[in-house]
Amino acid sequence: ETVMTQSPVIVSVSPGERATLSCRASQSVRNRLAWYQQKPGQAPRLLMYGASTRATGIPARFSGSGSGTEFTLTITSLQSEDFAIYYCQHYNNWPYTFGQGTKLEIK
Amino acid sequence: QVQLQESGPGVVKPSETLSLTCNVSGDSITALSWSWIRQPPGKGLEWIGYIYYRGTTTYNPSLKSRVTISADASTNQFSLKLNSVTAEDTAIYYCARGKVIFGVVSELDYWGQGTQVTVSS
């Protein structure tokens, strides 16, 4: 099973600034990686797939990069609605697994 | 617009079977893939399994011996059965649609709102 490790667990950033979230896979997942955003009491929402492709309706301030084992989700010009928990998930080999999440909180 | 809605009992007794149904609208369950994911209280996400292409199923090895996912094209619903439940199966259960690229299930692009299931006597 491929283990996904996200860092940091919690990150505090001020509105208008940039946030950088990391995800590491225990073995290569090529570019088969997705990012999700989850707000309290809501289901996860797909942000990115293929490591760097934004899902439908996702603003351009969200960007993804990486391949193999190291991935990054960057959010520029943070808006109030961006403060949430973010999960990475690979789909390279079964079972597909999620990271433990990074909580992005307001500084 | 694709919408998914989970339904089922909110409480299940230990050793019994958890049964949930996901009603899909805006898409046919005969296309793409359909998954169940769960999230224990305060924890992360676990992909339970999925069904696609004429009923092919794939289950997480950690749950494989206890899980059955099935689909009913006539009602456009798919279902989850998890037997011999314990307190560790207490979680929010989500159903979701998974994209399929070159025959490989990939990311989950539409999710239900989730349903809380508590295992308790």
Side-chain angles (χ1 to χ4, degrees):
Chain A
E1 175 174 311
T2 302
V3 177
M4 308 301 291
T5 302
Q6 293 184 240
S7 61
V9 174
I10 302 173
V11 61
S12 301
V13 184
S14 300
E17 295 191 341
R18 172 195 299 253
T20 302
L21 285 61
S22 297
C23 175
R24 173 177 292 179
S26 61
Q27 60 186 291
S28 176
V29 296
R30 295 182 277 183
N31 71 333
R32 296 182 175 182
L33 186 102
W35 288 94
Y36 300 86
Q37 176 194 68
Q38 187 177 34
K39 297 179 180 179
Q42 296 185 17
R45 172 195 182 195
L46 178 66
L47 296 176
M48 314 285 302
Y49 61 92
S52 60
T53 302
R54 281 189 300 277
T56 303
I58 302 304
R61 64 179 183 273
F62 290 86
S63 63
S65 64
S67 67
T69 62
E70 301 284 343
F71 301 88
T72 300
L73 176 70
T74 302
I75 314 168
T76 59
S77 300
L78 277 164
Q79 307 293 305
S80 58
E81 63 265 28
D82 299 334
F83 293 95
I85 298 175
Y86 290 83
Y87 294 95
C88 61
Q89 171 242 315
H90 84 87
Y91 47 94
N92 186 62
N93 56 287
W94 188 255
Y96 300 161
T97 53
F98 295 84
Q100 83 281 12
T102 290
K103 183 178 182 179
L104 175 58
E105 63 176 28
I106 301 175
K107 187 174 183 179
Chain B
Q1 183 177 354
V2 179
Q3 293 184 315
L4 298 89
Q5 178 67 59
E6 305 88 351
S7 61
V11 179
V12 182
K13 290 183 169 56
S15 79
E16 295 191 345
T17 297
L18 179 161
S19 296
L20 297 174
T21 297
C22 182
N23 186 67
V24 178
S25 59
D27 194 5
S28 169
I29 63 165
T30 60
L32 299 180
S33 68
W34 306 91
S35 290
W36 288 97
I37 302 94
R38 69 180 183 178
Q39 186 170 35
K43 295 187 178 180
L45 299 156
E46 178 180 35
W47 200 320
I48 298 169
Y50 59 82
I51 186 167
Y52 78 122
Y53 290 165
R54 300 180 293 277
T56 301
T57 53
T58 299
Y59 302 132
N60 192 316
S62 68
L63 297 168
K64 187 174 183 178
S65 64
R66 300 194 289 132
V67 173
T68 302
I69 296 175
S70 59
D72 185 344
S74 67
T75 59
N76 216 41
Q77 296 176 332
F78 66 106
S79 298
L80 169 71
K81 290 189 185 299
L82 180 66
N83 56 39
S84 303
V85 298
T86 70
E88 292 189 348
D89 296 310
T90 293
I92 297 173
Y93 285 75
Y94 296 99
C95 58
R97 188 182 84 167
K99 293 165 71 174
V100 179
I101 309 296
F102 301 116
V104 176
V105 175
S106 57
E107 68 275 10
L108 301 166
D109 59 352
Y110 288 95
W111 294 63
Q113 65 185 26
T115 187
Q116 172 70 48
V117 178
T118 301
V119 178
S120 174
S121 55

